[in-house]
Amino acid sequence: MGMYPWRDYMNTQNQSHPQPSASSEPWCPWTSPIRWTYWIRRLLVCNPFFLVSAALLLFGVNRLSLDANFLGNERENLLFNFGALQVYAGLLTVTAIVLSRRRVWYDSALLVVLEHGLVLVPFILIGQAALIGSYLGEILVAAGVIAVVCRAIAIARWYPQFNLPGTALLMGIVILAANIILPFWFRDVVDTQSVWDWLGPNRTVWLLGLPVLAAGANVLPGPARYGGLNPERPWLPLFIYALWMLASAVHAASLARMANDVDVTLAMMAPLASVVGWTLWNRLTDFVPCTALWMEELVMLAIAVSPLLAWGDQPVLLTLSAANLAAFAYLTWRRTDGLRRLVRHLAIAMVPLVLMSLPESVRMLIPGNPTPMEMLIISIGLCALAYGWRWRHPAVAIVSAIVFVSVAGSLHPMLDSVLKWQLALAVVLCHSLRWVDETSRVSALRAGVAAVWLGTFYEPILGGGANTGIPTSVACGLLVLGEWAAAWWMTKRPHTWVPPMAGGLVLFSHPISALILRATAGIWAIAGSLALFAAGAAFAWNRRPPEPVRNAVPAQNP
């Protein structure tokens, strides 16, 4: 190790710090005051001189563009900034090629990455040049494109080790073309209309243009191998694509700043954030050969949170939430590993966002025309019922019913209390088909719930008071009967006969009540006969078949 002890450290992949000999004490970089060179290596491993140099260049260009005394002419100031950026990018390219010839892989790869990070920055100045006129914007575009092509050819010719496939270069051309078209589109809108009319196109750029460009990262080829030299890292194409997208977003934001009263809000960034999240999840194997479950879960949580950036913008919130709901539901169906449980919960969590962001024309079709906040409360109550449905304990059913009544009562205080309890008891009966602890107390609880439920329908009718009407009884009866039929079809056996009997009596509560009020002795006799026949059939169905006779003596022929 010579005068520069960090060179070999940056260009090797063997170890992160010097290994002590077997006879020495274990070395700890946090406590050892002797190995001070370790901290120098850790600082110089990323070569901060190049990073600080690029940052100072951008800062200097920004300050000079705002300095009215520098060169004294807007055109000359613009040409100076554009030329300084192009010269600096060329310097990065030449230095990277020279260092690659000396096999200084880390620094040369870092310089190429910096060059790609700055490749679109000069084109941000074209927006200002397009407003100046006199074909200055077209001249700068031509010069910038020629410079970019020359640098790309030089890297491909003299630095073949750098991992940037042809597909990535093709997508880079698409992004470059979009950044060239954008300022001229801005100039046409400003010239033909006014600066304030950029509000609509700016929204289109952020809600559609940038997300589509970001989704293009999914067409990049996957890694052929892992490891290797620094310029051969498998994640380099994706990282460079991210730099291009970052520069494009800055370009769009700078044009919005040039237009008066046109802001870039978080809601407008939400689609781009969502697309970036899904792209990162899809390209996790670009970073590691085998993704861990916690990596996918972390990215999925970020994707689920991304629609919240559009809070207050209902169309964007509805679109992103519905798209996430469909994607999470699809993954729930396709995945069989540990990620399935999380995406199922995230799909349920998307339901409140979808319902609360429904347009007013759709909410008017719902009884009561609920507000977005009321839709959020309704959806939270439905999600609570859905989670309660997964449990197989009677207490969960009762809690679900209380949540349902509380939500319904908070949204509609004038709602008939009898109707609320009828629906709540129907939910408990449906949930009782999932109870697995078939003890006498559980059976008695189910029978008691069914008796109270029947009383809420028959007592008002027979007593001559107000009743909830035929639609309610039909809906509740069909709900319980349908759930019982589904449970029977799935288990191939009748779990219990109490819910279907109660559902049938509720379904025909009004005809039965009319029959009771107007029945004669003959009708009562026929009804009793049918009831006893049904009881006998049920008793016979549940009778245990006799055991087969074993070791029977065969009959002798006479």
Side-chain angles (χ1 to χ4, degrees), residues 82 123 126 129-131 133-145 180 184 187-188:
F82 185 86
F123 294 90
I126 297 177
L131 294 179
S134 301
Y135 300 102
L136 181 60
E138 289 81 354
I139 295 174
L140 293 184
V141 166
V145 169
I180 293 174
F184 293 102
R187 184 185 64 180
D188 293 339

Side-chain angles (χ1 to χ4, degrees), residues 99-111:
L99 291 178
S100 67
R101 293 295 180 177
R102 293 178 57 85
R103 301 181 182 274
V104 184
W105 302 120
Y106 182 89
D107 300 90
S108 59
L110 177 62
L111 290 176

Side-chain angles (χ1 to χ4, degrees), residues 297-333:
E297 290 179 343
L298 187 62
V299 177
M300 283 295 171
L301 289 175
I303 294 172
V305 174
S306 61
L308 296 178
L309 296 175
W311 191 273
D313 195 331
Q314 288 189 347
V316 179
L317 180 61
L318 175 61
T319 303
L320 296 181
S321 302
N324 281 352
L325 175 60
F328 290 145
Y330 175 76
L331 290 177
T332 303
W333 173 56

Side-chain angles (χ1 to χ4, degrees), residues 468-484:
T468 54
I470 297 177
T472 302
S473 61
V474 172
C476 291
L478 291 178
L479 174 64
V480 175
L481 288 174
E483 180 64 24
W484 179 80

